[in-house]
Amino acid sequence: MPNPKLGSVTNDVAKAVENAKKGQVEIKIDKFGLVHAPIAKASFAADKIKSNFDAIYGAIKNAKPSGVKGTYIKKIFLGSTMGPSIEISISSIN
């Protein structure tokens, strides 16, 4: 849904359309701390999916507040919209 905080409701329609065409993505976090973000479509090549995942993972990792101690990202699961998910080993990413 359109939301002024995310920039989808704005007086500058041209910029909003330009950002959408460039692939602007909304990363949503629910009340349990789960991050929901689209990474790719089924038609994407494996290297594009990997680069999109790396970009989102890096953004989340860099957004860690300085006051947070311990493990910031505990588990990672990837799944399709209506399909089962698979767990990704964090040690294989770092």
Side-chain angles (χ1 to χ4, degrees):
M1 294 298 295
N3 186 337
K5 289 182 183 177
L6 301 174
S8 55
V9 176
T10 179
N11 290 331
D12 190 0
V13 177
K15 183 172 176 152
V17 171
E18 180 183 338
N19 289 341
K21 285 184 178 181
K22 286 182 180 177
Q24 178 181 0
V25 180
E26 297 176 10
I27 297 177
K28 298 178 183 176
I29 302 172
D30 64 15
K31 65 181 179 179
F32 303 109
L34 303 176
V35 176
H36 303 273
I39 292 180
K41 295 181 180 181
S43 61
F44 283 18
D47 60 331
K48 294 288 185 185
I49 296 171
K50 173 82 167 96
S51 67
N52 288 347
F53 173 81
D54 290 340
I56 291 176
Y57 180 74
I60 294 169
K61 199 172 172 183
N62 291 337
K64 177 181 178 180
S66 60
V68 174
K69 298 197 188 303
T71 306
Y72 189 60
I73 300 174
K74 294 182 181 180
K75 293 182 181 180
I76 299 174
F77 287 87
L78 291 179
S80 63
T81 302
M82 296 298 290
S85 61
I86 58 169
E87 186 170 5
I88 306 297
S89 172
I90 294 178
S91 62
S92 68
I93 298 169
N94 298 331

